[in-house]
Amino acid sequence: MTIAVASDARKAMAKLYRAAEPDVLKPLLDRAATSPESRERIMGHASGLLADLRAAQSRGWVNQFLQEYRLNSSEGVALLSLAEAFLRVPDPETADLLIADKLGDADWRAHTGKSASRLVNSATWGLVVGRALVGEGEAGPLKRLISRAGEPFVRQGVGAAMRMMGEIFVMGRTIDEATRRMKKPENKGFTASFDMLGEAARTQEDAERYFQAYVQAIDAVGRDPAAGHSVSVKLSALHPRYEVARRAECVPALTQMLEALAVQAAGHGIALTVDAEESERLEMSLDIIGAVAGLPSLNGWESFGMAVQAYGKRARPVVQWANSLGRVMNVRLVKGAYWDSEIKRTQVEGLADYPLFTRKAATDVSYLAVAKDMLAGKNIRPAFASHNALTVATILEWAGSNRDFEFQRLHGMGDGLYERLVREQGYHCRIYAPVGGHRDLLAYLVRRLLENGANSSFVHQLADARLTEAEILADPVAKIAAVGGSRHPSIPLPVDLFRPGHRNSGGIDLSDIPTLERTAKVVNAPMEASAGEKVADVAGAVSRAHAAFGGWSKRPVEERAAILERLADLLEEDRDRLMAILVQEAFKTIPDAIGEVREAADFCRYYAGEARARLRPVELPGPTGERNTLHMDGRGVWATVAPWNFPLAIFLGQTVAALVTGNTVVAKPAPQTPAIARAAVALAHRAGVPADALVLVTGGPEVGQALTEDVRVMGVAFTGSTATAKRIARTLVADDDRPIVPLIAETGGINAMIVDSTALPEQVVADVVTSSFRSAGQRCSALRLLLVQEEVADGVIAMLKGAMDTLKLGPTGDPATDVGPVIDRAAYDKLMAYRAEAGARVIKTLDAPAEGLFVPPTLVRLDRIEDLDREWFGPILHVATWAAGTLSETIARVNAKGYGLTMGLHSRIARAVEVTEAEAEVGNLYVNRSMIGAVVGSQPFGGEGLSGTGPKAGGPHYLYRFCAERAVSVDTTSAGGNATLLSLDEGGI
């Protein structure tokens, strides 16, 4: 029976994962509803709790902080931004820049003496002083008064304020300090769940350090089991690759580690709870938790538990599953901690729907429905984590005389809500207590503040004096019922993300294990054997396209655009076969193959919409009696020459842009990837492109040369090396009798990422690994040169080396593969020879499989930025340092290389972003994110200088380059003048 229930619960999770929000909420609304009589009692109790909370405002530093510095104010945002970065900045110069950046524009004087808290007021005066030093003019009186103290004084003051904020949210820097602090009077009656601030391991060393921290915490808490404290464990802190694609590796390893911790906790007689993770990890987490829960060695220990996030659509069946494990499970119900990142990931990956609710009130409904299930669960020992007075009052109403549950709150927040319940009424409340050094906790701190201080959250509403009690305690069931459970109107489904312009392409949810397994099977299916390449008849191909130009160019723009949209639909319908070709012919990993099919479809739909909007005749102004019109027409035959690294997306992107503007096309793919080009052209013909309007020619450089030398070719779109682009340019002007024709060239670059000491190292390393080594470094946009501020370089490089150790090299059809082989023997030999020449400058590399063209990810140390003078098209990353205060000079040194494709910046200083944006001579600048994966219509892609001619692919100016602009001016006076003038009632005959 228990096994059947568990199986049914897992099936329900799969069904609900990305189900439509109204469908998910309908049963939840029924479950969360209360009778009018209960509602009246709940409101009375909630009103009392609200009064307790407001009375505690004078005691709660954080409550007063939120009241004085609301998070939708410039001061609140500035203070949080400063807290997030300041303590990790080691050098005074950057620290001063950060202070100036965050404090300089805010009006701190307006807050002086306003708070009931002396601590808040003291902090405010410190901010006023800082503002005076960094923001006032030279003649400012306060600046003159304290100028002798200078910038070190401000740094010390800000540092003290930041550490003070840390004290509020962190129970202790060590577990021993935290357990001592729990004995203080303000915590009387409360127990703690200690979290060792293991956010997510980037390296195996991180994971081992976090594991030892948990071991030490369990030992420390276990010295006094009667105190009732517990330990919370985060699985992603225990493995650097806690990912669905690596589940065969990480699930057994994490199960073994969690078992060791659970046995240790059971031996001490204390509780252990597994924290919640992002939605894509849920199924793996349940596998791990279920395996440990079923261990015979833990029979009789009833202190094992897990957290469940109510904002997830699967929360109810997760609790049902926990109740079916055949043992008592502690279940901590939380609202959720990854809302914004979950929304963005779903949109970026083009998935069917969100795994969580898009309205705050919907999460509240889910919380109540799940809470009722937990109270009824025979094997569930509930813990309700909430700072919401209405939620707490509702649970108390439903629980009645039952006291076999506990409440939980975050350390530093919710003062006043539970004190009376705990100390006077005997309820149990546990404090979720972060433990760790202040430098390590700040990303956590900011996330928690934003999570609990968002405009729609109860904590923020409580701090808003403009809201009435009725508004704060409004029934979420009624709110959601009023909108029919619909999605938030500002959060479109991923498919509608770019509406009204174009439909977003659909992705594949690789976090769903059955979907991942099916996809892996599909892409590894044997391809049809190639019949072999014929010698291309280039002249004949151009003749066919030349003859077809008249008929194709005269078709209406609407008709050509509709054909592109049909092609996009066919690409998505045939996605499995196209992905298989990409994986097997172009050595694309499964995520890269998905991305390429999506990008090709996006190009088709985007250019279709652009053509409709931009290629219609435009009426221009002029004198009366004259009609002026601008037409955008096709030029003739275009040659499109595509690369092997994006053999579908770029091949089709260039080609459909030429087609939709009225040109005919002779398309040449790279010699390494003809099969995917044939498949794409066949689909284009099925979509309605005439066979002679799009002609495929295959072969090597001699075919490309013959194509570009043909004087009937009226334009060339090329993506590839700079050297080849220059040869094409010379060819196009070599014949004096040939018309001057356009060349659109996108080439490579020495792409740099600049990292200053305010950047979060974990984020930097994740983005560097993605930018440098994904696709085996074979992207035009890939990171080639990492420039780290010298004060933090050693730490960043050490973490980067550790992250590189987690990369898996292997066949690209394996979902676990991170880095596949390079494209061919020539590329392999060139890259391997360079690695050998680098010698002692290679500071990190990996082992490669014995068979296959695998170039190991490699890190090369440079003495100077100038030491890298060419692009190495593979998984080779160069690293150098730069000095604080030399950002402009560093940018100039990168610009001096002459390339201008992509650049990255990691910094928390807005002024650094402004400087880089103004001075970087690149086509695409990426700030605090990876440098690859430009999205059609959102991040138009293309470079300048040695990196290309422009216009940018996937951008609003691209189609114009394929067109001939023709202005027509007609004198209408000879045909009777301007008839509209006859209708004017001004004078007349």
Side-chain angles (χ1 to χ4, degrees), residues 190 254 530 695:
F190 290 82
L254 284 167
S530 173
V695 185

Side-chain angles (χ1 to χ4, degrees), residues 828-844:
Y828 174 84
D829 289 344
K830 182 185 293 185
L831 292 166
M832 294 301 283
Y834 175 68
R835 290 176 69 253
E837 292 172 8
R841 293 187 294 116
V842 174
I843 58 175
K844 180 66 180 180

Side-chain angles (χ1 to χ4, degrees), residues 326-401:
R327 60 166 295 146
V328 171
M329 286 290 291
N330 296 336
V331 177
R332 174 196 297 153
L333 184 62
V334 300
K335 294 292 174 73
Y338 305 99
W339 187 87
D340 52 351
S341 59
E342 298 271 17
I343 293 290
K344 181 178 180 180
R345 191 182 76 84
T346 302
Q347 292 176 342
V348 167
E349 296 185 8
L351 303 181
D353 209 325
Y354 300 103
L356 40 73
F357 301 109
T358 58
R359 294 179 187 265
K360 176 64 168 60
T363 294
D364 291 340
V365 168
S366 174
Y367 191 99
L368 292 174
V370 175
K372 186 176 284 187
D373 289 349
M374 289 168 59
L375 288 168
K378 293 182 179 179
N379 293 322
I380 298 293
R381 186 174 293 149
F384 302 110
S386 178
H387 299 141
N388 188 311
L390 181 64
T391 300
V392 172
T394 303
I395 290 169
L396 291 171
E397 168 72 15
W398 288 344
S401 60

Side-chain angles (χ1 to χ4, degrees), residues 635 638 714-717 732 740-744 961-962:
R635 290 176 173 272
W638 271 72
M714 292 291 103
V716 177
L732 296 179
I740 300 172
V741 301
L743 167 64
I744 302 173
R961 187 67 167 157
F962 291 86

Side-chain angles (χ1 to χ4, degrees), residues 289-512:
I289 293 167
V292 174
L295 290 171
S297 60
L298 296 178
N299 285 344
W301 179 54
E302 296 189 349
S303 299
F304 185 50
M306 60 183 289
V308 176
Q309 301 189 104
Y311 72 9
K313 293 175 177 176
R314 298 173 289 180
R316 282 193 79 190
V318 170
V319 170
Q320 181 187 4
W321 173 85
N323 193 45
S324 70
L325 291 179
R327 60 166 295 146
V328 171
M329 286 290 291
N330 296 336
V331 177
R332 174 196 297 153
L333 184 62
V334 300
K335 294 292 174 73
Y338 305 99
W339 187 87
D340 52 351
S341 59
E342 298 271 17
I343 293 290
K344 181 178 180 180
R345 191 182 76 84
T346 302
Q347 292 176 342
V348 167
E349 296 185 8
L351 303 181
D353 209 325
Y354 300 103
L356 40 73
F357 301 109
T358 58
R359 294 179 187 265
K360 176 64 168 60
T363 294
D364 291 340
V365 168
S366 174
Y367 191 99
L368 292 174
V370 175
K372 186 176 284 187
D373 289 349
M374 289 168 59
L375 288 168
K378 293 182 179 179
N379 293 322
I380 298 293
R381 186 174 293 149
F384 302 110
S386 178
H387 299 141
N388 188 311
L390 181 64
T391 300
V392 172
T394 303
I395 290 169
L396 291 171
E397 168 72 15
W398 288 344
S401 60
N402 174 21
R403 298 292 180 95
D404 192 20
F405 67 92
E406 68 180 30
F407 291 109
Q408 294 190 2
R409 67 172 177 86
L410 287 173
H411 169 62
M413 303 191 75
D415 291 336
L417 180 59
Y418 292 112
E419 279 77 359
R420 191 189 300 270
L421 291 173
V422 169
R423 293 166 185 163
E424 297 180 14
Q425 299 177 33
Y427 288 96
H428 185 200
C429 182
R430 188 177 301 273
I431 298 172
Y432 187 81
V435 180
H438 294 160
R439 181 186 179 279
D440 298 325
L441 67 87
L442 290 176
Y444 168 93
L445 159 70
V446 170
R447 191 178 75 236
R448 290 300 180 189
L449 265 180
L450 291 173
E451 174 194 346
N452 292 284
N455 289 344
S456 58
S457 80
F458 185 86
V459 172
H460 189 99
Q461 290 177 332
L462 185 66
D464 190 345
R466 296 171 298 180
L467 294 177
T468 66
E469 180 175 296
E471 290 172 316
I472 293 175
L473 300 178
D475 183 5
V477 174
K479 285 183 180 180
I480 294 303
V483 297
S486 63
R487 236 182 326 101
H488 195 289
S490 298
I491 305 176
L493 286 175
V495 70
D496 298 321
L497 188 61
F498 302 111
R499 303 277 195 189
H502 67 280
R503 190 177 95 211
N504 190 16
S505 57
I508 298 177
D509 189 0
L510 298 182
S511 70
D512 179 67

